[in-house]
Amino acid sequence: MPITVLLVDDEPLVRAGLRAVLEAQADIEVVGEAADGAAVIPLVRRLRPDVVAMDVRMPLMDGIEATRALLRTVPDPPKILVITTFENDEYVYEALRAGADGFLLKRARPAEIVHAVRLVAEGESLLFPASVRQLAAQYGDGDGGNRAARAVLERARLTEREAEVLRLMARGLSNAEIAARLVVGTETVKSHVSAVLAKLGARDRTQAVIVAYESGFVAPG
Amino acid sequence: MPITVLLVDDEPLVRAGLRAVLEAQADIEVVGEAADGAAVIPLVRRLRPDVVAMDVRMPLMDGIEATRALLRTVPDPPKILVITTFENDEYVYEALRAGADGFLLKRARPAEIVHAVRLVAEGESLLFPASVRQLAAQYGDGDGGNRAARAVLERARLTEREAEVLRLMARGLSNAEIAARLVVGTETVKSHVSAVLAKLGARDRTQAVIVAYESGFVAPG
DNA sequence: CTCCGTCTCCCCCGCCCGGGGGAGGCCCGT
DNA sequence: ACGGGCCTCCCCCGGGCGGGGGAGACGGAG
């Protein structure tokens, strides 16, 4: 059975583009469209799509509110893929915090869009890597990925402390060990870790470390 | 205060070598030596070293037994660094399973030995990366790290299934997600994960994923 | 045939992890 | 003086994780 997708975006052009890209795939079927978040819930109830691909910024109800509403009111809710125009959109992090499963840049290549839909449909909520990887590539390897790493930092808006904590996570330290190393309480470390997870859109520290490697924030070898 | 170390090895030459290397460090002090595992427990009780650097293969009581005995009978036991001659020593995995905190090749460079001692003293039990990294380097990048990855597999003796599970761990999947993907029970996945952790000398899945990246078993980008 | 490794699943258990709140102190910029 | 961001620490809570056992089925090696 194909992956069923509901498109939610206020721009018809974007919906059409997504539909064209997705329908070209044999295993993906677009089962409906909506122009605003306010219309999402009844549609989801009726169509029961596997994935909702939804713009963050919409006139009546934005993607964040719609995400919250979906997860709150619909039993066995679909996977939510948030669509955004801007590289650096706070709304996206809000949406991820609200429970969205992934995000997608509108300017992404078709293959990436398809890939993202398949990923979230499979239940994987890790999506930073793809976009962040391309970010690293675009910066080239001028100074061994540090530029890219800094760019990732900027994008995720990690504070210095959070970045420090992420570095230690990426060395395999537990919260207690990080606390000992930084000479703070474990509760403090937990706060930082939670912040890092939220900002990276990671579900647990393992995913955060994966993002760290994939983005070049930490380098193997 | 310096890191205090107890050396346990049946070869005097090795003990002397370790002593020379370690004593050259201002922050490390060798407080005692023993020629066999059987002598370890009373010595540890008396000297209370931070780290015990111990050969796996010894005439009377081997490093595995000594490790078990230490952890069982000594309250607040020292960190245990297992020393081995062979790259591919089953005994090492046994020792790690028994609770040793790290392992060390006899042919390692002095800097690595010192580093390993400091690491375990700090309470970090992650040690594969360094040796595995050098393994990857030695294989060069003939086919993009796959040779090295295969070598790592061989060294850790991961079964096919375990390797598959590790790959999915390195993509950020939870046990439940891995179970769904492989169409097996979560208990089965837990078994495989535990096996992977033991064989890699990793404490948790995060460390396992780090090893996967550091070894080239999975490649970023 | 018997042994052994692999894959599968089961039990119990403790604990770390992560989510959800909140709160106080600090510095900085307005 | 006030707000806001950051760092720090606190509470409660559930669930996933990992350890330690065991066990059955299968297949290949001896």
Side-chain angles (χ1 to χ4, degrees):
Chain A
M1 56 184 187
I3 301 170
T4 55
V5 182
L6 173 64
L7 304 179
V8 187
D9 194 306
D10 53 331
E11 295 175 58
L13 181 65
V14 172
R15 293 204 303 273
L18 284 172
R19 182 180 277 274
V21 167
L22 296 176
E23 295 269 79
Q25 304 301 314
D27 61 331
I28 301 181
E29 186 184 353
V30 177
V31 294
E33 294 185 14
D36 192 270
V40 166
I41 295 195
L43 271 176
V44 166
R45 287 190 184 281
R46 201 170 37 139
L47 302 171
R48 302 221 56 83
D50 300 309
V51 177
V52 175
M54 178 159 56
D55 199 350
V56 260
R57 297 172 184 271
M58 291 179 293
L60 295 177
M61 181 187 284
D62 65 23
I64 302 165
E65 263 313 301
T67 297
R68 289 209 188 89
L70 263 179
L71 296 179
R72 204 173 48 228
T73 66
V74 178
D76 195 19
K79 304 296 178 181
I80 301 170
L81 191 56
V82 166
I83 306 169
T84 181
T85 310
F86 313 102
E87 293 270 353
N88 218 329
D89 197 333
E90 330 278 346
Y91 277 45
V92 171
Y93 301 113
E94 272 295 331
L96 291 173
R97 256 182 289 263
D101 301 284
F103 85 99
L104 193 57
L105 283 174
K106 279 186 184 170
R107 80 170 76 100
R109 289 165 304 168
E112 288 176 351
I113 294 173
V114 170
H115 187 235
V117 168
R118 290 211 184 93
L119 275 187
V120 297
E122 284 169 11
E124 295 188 32
S125 56
L126 187 64
L127 13 95
F128 245 75
S131 53
V132 132
R133 201 177 302 151
Q134 114 194 42
L135 188 81
Q138 130 194 354
Y139 273 93
D141 246 1
D143 55 354
N146 270 339
R147 283 260 295 290
R150 247 179 287 130
V152 170
L153 264 188
E154 233 175 272
R155 162 196 282 254
R157 300 199 180 297
L158 292 187
T159 66
E160 271 190 44
R161 204 54 159 172
E162 287 161 358
E164 208 170 352
V165 168
L166 177 56
R167 263 185 285 273
L168 294 175
M169 282 195 270
R171 291 181 59 187
L173 304 208
S174 67
N175 288 340
E177 287 168 342
I178 294 174
R181 180 73 66 92
L182 300 183
V183 199
V184 297
T186 59
E187 297 300 327
T188 302
V189 173
K190 285 178 62 178
S191 292
H192 291 316
V193 169
S194 289
V196 169
L197 298 186
K199 288 183 177 179
L200 295 186
R203 190 179 48 195
D204 50 51
R205 67 202 298 109
T206 305
Q207 290 193 350
V209 168
I210 292 171
V211 171
Y213 272 100
E214 295 288 342
S215 68
F217 178 71
V218 299
Chain B
M1 57 186 185
I3 301 171
T4 55
V5 183
L6 172 65
L7 305 179
V8 187
D9 194 305
D10 53 332
E11 296 174 57
L13 182 65
V14 172
R15 293 204 303 273
L18 284 172
R19 182 180 277 273
V21 167
L22 295 176
E23 295 269 77
Q25 304 301 314
D27 60 331
I28 301 181
E29 185 184 353
V30 176
V31 294
E33 295 185 13
D36 193 271
V40 165
I41 294 195
L43 272 176
V44 166
R45 285 189 185 282
R46 201 170 39 144
L47 303 171
R48 302 221 56 82
D50 300 309
V51 177
V52 175
M54 178 160 55
D55 200 351
V56 260
R57 297 172 184 271
M58 291 179 293
L60 295 176
M61 182 188 283
D62 65 22
I64 302 164
E65 263 313 301
T67 297
R68 288 209 188 90
L70 264 179
L71 297 180
R72 204 173 48 230
T73 65
V74 178
D76 193 22
K79 304 295 178 182
I80 301 170
L81 190 56
V82 166
I83 306 168
T84 181
T85 310
F86 313 101
E87 292 271 351
N88 217 328
D89 198 334
E90 330 279 347
Y91 278 46
V92 171
Y93 301 113
E94 271 296 331
L96 292 173
R97 256 183 289 264
D101 300 285
F103 86 97
L104 192 56
L105 283 174
K106 280 186 184 172
R107 80 170 78 100
R109 290 165 306 169
E112 288 177 351
I113 294 173
V114 170
H115 187 234
V117 168
R118 288 211 185 94
L119 275 187
V120 297
E122 284 169 13
E124 296 188 31
S125 57
L126 188 65
L127 12 94
F128 244 74
S131 52
V132 132
R133 200 176 305 151
Q134 110 194 46
L135 188 81
Q138 130 194 354
Y139 273 93
D141 246 0
D143 56 354
N146 269 339
R147 282 260 294 290
R150 247 180 288 130
V152 170
L153 264 188
E154 235 174 87
R155 162 196 282 252
R157 299 200 180 297
L158 291 186
T159 66
E160 271 190 44
R161 205 54 161 171
E162 286 159 0
E164 207 169 354
V165 167
L166 177 56
R167 264 186 284 274
L168 294 175
M169 283 194 272
R171 290 181 59 189
L173 304 209
S174 67
N175 287 340
E177 287 168 342
I178 294 173
R181 179 72 66 91
L182 299 183
V183 200
V184 297
T186 59
E187 297 300 325
T188 303
V189 173
K190 285 179 62 179
S191 291
H192 291 316
V193 169
S194 289
V196 168
L197 298 186
K199 288 182 177 179
L200 295 186
R203 190 179 48 195
D204 50 51
R205 66 203 298 109
T206 305
Q207 291 193 350
V209 168
I210 292 171
V211 171
Y213 272 100
E214 294 288 342
S215 68
F217 178 71
V218 300

